[in-house]
């Protein structure tokens, strides 16, 4: 930003940011999924200001003395689903603003290309609404945010029930997934499908996605910069779905979501929490194909998940 932090315009922005933050906290009844304090409001405000284009891009007009009214909430289609415990309130990025940047907490914040449509409002500030997967997919667009875009055939966003209680997060698309644009449709996908069915679910009941949405060449591991580019989209997907349980398949999913570099051999089988949602780390199906003796441990992990859903353990695959 070009303006001084003491300018009336900057102060107006901070006041508006705090007002919206408090409103959102109130609306969420203190159950906010991703924000725990006013500190984040300040961080968000600072982060947004650092992303905003120079003031010259906006119409030359002083901000209103009073905070401007918040934009109307984006209506979202309600998709019925089986009764599930109440989930924390969530945040939403504004719809259809392609460029995004990750805030410090991994949320998507739209980077404005031009002046906001409503005076005084901070563009891209999350406003207490829950995003939809469609909005997130639109924001992802024809993504060029990292080098994986050069080799991909398709972006592999995710598949399944947008209101799933159970979400599986893998690492990244392989060759088959890249060709079809659908996660877990190759050999590891076949095993994952069997695991899901053995748990008493179908693929349509759950939601399946990956840490990175484009295929790393030659199925190499995703690199830190690639994960960093894609991670906000994963976090927003989880925010949109608000599942009851997340199963993190393999080290990249578990370590990325938990921000914990503990090896998967030690993470697996232990309940963790991701933004108030239960998370079970387990082995990746591709690893299980290479090391079938480890299937027993993965099945134990999945049985713990089944207990949450009141499902009894059947035969494993
Ligand atoms: N492995 C993954 O992690 N994800 C897929 O979609 C396929 C294989």
């Amino acid at each position: 930003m070009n303006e001084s932090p003491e300018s009336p315009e900057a102060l107006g922005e901070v006041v508006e940011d705090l007002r919206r933050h408090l409103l959102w906290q109130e609306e969420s009844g203190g159950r906010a999924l991703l924000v725990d304090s006013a500190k984040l409001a300040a961080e968000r405000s600072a982060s947004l200001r650092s992303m905003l284009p120079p003031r010259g891009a906006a119409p030359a007009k002083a901000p209103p003395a009073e905070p401007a009214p918040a934009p109307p909430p984006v209506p979202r289609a309600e998709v019925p689903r089986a009764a599930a415990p109440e989930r924390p309130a969530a945040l939403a990025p504004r719809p259809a603003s392609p460029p995004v940047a990750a805030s410090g907490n991994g949320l998507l914040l739209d980077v404005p290309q031009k002046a906001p449509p409503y005076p005084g409002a901070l563009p891209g500030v999350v406003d207490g609404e829950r995003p939809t997967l469609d909005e997130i997919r639109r924001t992802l667009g024809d993504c060029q945010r990292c080098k994986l875009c050069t080799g991909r055939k398709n972006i592999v966003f995710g598949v399944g029930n947008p209101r799933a209680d159970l979400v599986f997060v893998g690492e990244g698309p392989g060759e088959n997934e890249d060709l079809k644009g659908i996660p877990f449709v190759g050999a590891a996908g076949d095993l994952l499908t069997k695991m899901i069915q053995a748990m008493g679910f179908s693929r349509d009941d759950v939601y399946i996605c990956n840490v990175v949405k484009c295929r790393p060449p030659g199925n190499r591991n995703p690199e830190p910069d690639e994960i960093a580019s894609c991670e906000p989209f994963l976090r927003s997907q989880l925010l949109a779905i608000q599942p009851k349980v997340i199963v993190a398949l393999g080290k990249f999913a578990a370590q990325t979501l938990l921000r914990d570099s503990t090896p998967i051999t030690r993470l697996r089988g232990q309940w963790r929490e991701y933004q108030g949602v239960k998370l079970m780390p387990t082995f990746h199906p591709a690893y299980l194909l290479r090391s079938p003796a480890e299937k027993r441990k993965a099945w134990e992990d999945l049985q713990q998940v089944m207990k949450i859903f009141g499902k009894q353990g059947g035969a494993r695959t």
Side-chain angles (χ1 to χ4, degrees), residues 170-174 177 182-184 188 210 284:
E171 175 182 319
E177 291 77 16
I182 302 170
F184 282 100
N210 284 304
H284 191 286

Side-chain angles (χ1 to χ4, degrees), residues 73-255:
V74 181
R76 46 183 284 267
E78 274 308 320
V79 181
R81 64 169 168 185
E86 203 172 289
R87 291 174 181 77
L91 314 176
R94 286 182 306 134
S97 294
V100 296
S103 70
N105 66 350
L107 283 172
L108 291 180
L109 296 174
D110 294 6
V111 181
Q113 296 290 286
K114 52 186 180 185
Y118 34 88
L122 284 174
V125 172
V126 287
D127 59 7
E129 286 294 316
R130 181 175 166 185
T132 68
L133 289 172
D134 283 350
E135 285 167 357
I136 299 163
R137 181 63 190 86
R138 273 201 301 277
T139 304
L140 183 61
D142 181 29
C143 186
Q144 314 278 320
R145 292 170 182 82
C146 84
K147 57 189 178 299
L148 292 183
C149 70
T150 58
R152 71 161 183 246
K153 296 203 165 47
N154 285 294
I155 291 178
V156 181
F157 183 68
V159 71
N161 180 355
R163 291 288 177 269
D165 283 335
L166 180 56
V167 171
F168 291 84
V169 180
E171 175 182 319
E175 186 179 13
N176 293 296
E177 291 77 16
D178 180 48
L179 285 172
K180 294 195 174 144
I182 302 170
F184 282 100
V185 289
D190 289 344
L191 178 56
L192 178 62
T193 304
K194 285 181 190 160
M195 289 158 64
I196 291 168
Q197 288 169 349
M199 293 173 75
F201 295 96
S202 75
R203 271 179 76 113
D204 291 340
D205 294 329
V206 304
Y207 191 83
I208 305 171
C209 58
N210 284 304
V211 173
V212 295
K213 314 297 186 213
C214 298
R215 182 191 180 200
N219 294 349
R220 66 157 167 76
N221 290 339
E223 292 174 356
D225 61 309
E226 296 157 359
I227 293 174
S229 298
C230 231
E231 184 184 344
F233 293 93
L234 170 62
R235 290 179 181 269
S236 289
Q237 282 175 297
L238 295 171
L239 195 56
I241 299 166
Q242 296 190 15
K244 193 173 167 189
V245 177
I246 298 164
V247 175
L249 299 165
K251 85 168 193 173
F252 287 96
Q255 293 181 349

Side-chain angles (χ1 to χ4, degrees), residues 247-285:
V247 175
L249 299 165
K251 85 168 193 173
F252 287 96
Q255 293 181 349
T256 300
L257 289 174
L258 297 173
R259 299 202 194 287
D260 183 336
S261 58
T262 304
I264 187 67
T265 45
R266 285 186 24 226
L267 286 173
R268 65 144 284 274
Q270 308 293 323
W271 281 114
R272 297 288 295 266
E273 239 185 52
Y274 167 79
Q275 305 290 352
V277 178
K278 285 169 129 353
L279 184 147
M280 174 57 71
T282 193
F283 289 132
H284 191 286

